[in-house]
Each structure stands twice: as C-alpha cells, then as structure tokens.
Amino acid sequence: MKIKNTIDAIKARYSCRAFTCETPSDADLQTIAEAALAAPSAMNVQPWRVIIVKNPKLLAELEAEAFKNLDDGARERIMSRGGRIYYNAPCQIIIPIADPASNKWANIDCGIIAQNISLAAESLGINSLICGMINFSFMGEKGEYFKEKLGFPADYALGLSVLLGYADEAGIKEPHELDLSKLSVVE
C-alpha cells in the first residue's frame, strides 16, 4: 500500500460512518499509536493514555451502554444512521486524559492526539471517525466499570475516542469542500 503524504491525508480524510468488520493489522495499529504518542502537548505534559480496543465483546458492551444513555435527539440521529453509535468499527482507540480540572490544557491536548490518530490512519489507508459519542458509554452506571476494565489511571477522565477500520460501501464519502470564505489574512 502506498502511504499518503501529510497534505494528501489531511485533504482526503473524512468521518467514516459505516465500517466493514476487517480490523487493521497490529503493525498498522502500532504505527498509529506511535503517531498518537508523538502529538505535542502544552508544556510537554502528555496528559493522555492511548488504549487500543479490538475486543468485539467489549466494543459491543461500550456501545450498548452508550445507547442506554442517549437523549432523544441523539437516539433519533443514530437510528437515522443505521442504529449503531460506533458504526460497526472493529477497533477504537480510547484516549483517557489527566483530570481537566487540574490541567487546563488537557482537553486541547486530547484533540491534538485524536487528530494525529486520524491523520496517521488516513495516511495508511485506514478510515476513522473522531468520536465524542464515547462519552455516553461512560456516563451511566457502567462508567467506572469501563474505566477499570480499560486500565484508566485513577486520576484520569475520558477524553475522546477514534473509531478505526475500513469503510464499507455506505461509509465512503468525499471529504467536505473547503470554504475559503473562512480564511483571512491580516498583514
């Protein structure tokens, strides 16, 4: 497979909302994880952990818990997209972060690491979706159970996750068009 250069990966990446059951290789997941860990962070604190989840039973459990905790609007939107919160993704990288109350930059750093994951995946021909819906898996009665099962450090909170896999026919789409009206230059 030909690896895309950075600019091509940025321009080609889109949020995939339908995955096949094929899991990326362990070598590719290791490459993506290393790209994640290379992300910059405020004062180089690196307030994150990178947890690769490939266990289908655990992924299904996370999704079932999330579905229980959706509000009506979110449930309607998910049902209109096939009823799967995680779109059948066979792999998910979960990013716990140091308590944002004690590190005011942790949420920004989490966004940066998620983008590194997504762009590294795209460069390898792997589709992704940066997934804020993971929050619903952790807000119910099983939130602490999942933190323990996934090995969150005691003082860490959920940040984001990134779904990874290969797009099925329904998941393939064009990246959004650039809106150059949102660009300005001040000299």
Side-chain angles (χ1 to χ4, degrees):
M1 164 193 358
K2 183 179 179 205
I3 296 176
K4 294 178 186 161
N5 73 43
T6 305
I7 298 300
D8 289 342
I10 290 168
K11 289 180 177 180
R13 193 212 140 321
Y14 63 91
S15 294
C16 180
R17 289 192 169 83
F19 292 89
T20 69
C21 61
E22 182 183 356
T23 303
S25 72
D26 288 343
D28 283 346
L29 291 174
Q30 182 68 30
T31 298
I32 292 166
E34 289 175 10
L37 295 172
S41 65
M43 297 171 285
N44 198 30
V45 171
Q46 301 176 29
W48 52 61
R49 295 292 186 269
V50 174
I51 302 169
I52 300 169
V53 182
K54 301 187 304 181
N55 180 311
K57 185 178 175 188
L58 180 55
L59 290 168
E61 199 176 353
L62 284 160
E63 185 166 56
E65 185 65 18
F67 202 80
K68 286 188 335 190
N69 295 309
L70 293 176
D71 59 42
D72 290 340
R75 184 175 284 107
E76 255 181 58
R77 191 172 72 249
I78 293 301
M79 293 309 290
S80 75
R81 293 179 175 168
R84 300 300 303 263
I85 295 171
Y86 303 133
Y87 307 104
N88 295 318
C91 181
Q92 187 170 163
I93 295 182
I94 296 177
I95 309 162
I97 56 173
D99 179 15
S102 63
N103 179 346
K104 65 182 175 181
W105 307 112
N107 287 320
I108 293 170
D109 292 340
C110 184
I112 295 168
I113 194 172
Q115 185 73 352
N116 269 28
I117 291 166
S118 189
L119 292 176
E122 181 65 36
S123 77
L124 296 171
I126 298 167
N127 299 100
S128 68
L129 182 134
I130 297 173
C131 184
M133 298 292 281
I134 187 70
N135 289 312
F136 290 104
S137 296
F138 286 80
M139 65 176 42
E141 60 190 46
K142 291 181 87 173
E144 290 304 314
Y145 161 80
F146 287 132
K147 285 180 179 182
E148 185 177 315
K149 184 143 182 107
L150 293 164
F152 279 37
D155 59 341
Y156 276 53
L158 175 68
L160 279 172
S161 76
V162 181
L163 308 179
L164 296 173
Y166 299 96
D168 77 6
E169 271 308 295
I172 298 171
K173 67 179 195 175
E174 292 296 315
H176 68 268
E177 297 230 0
L178 300 182
D179 181 354
L180 296 178
S181 72
K182 296 182 181 201
L183 172 65
S184 56
V185 177
V186 178
E187 294 186 40

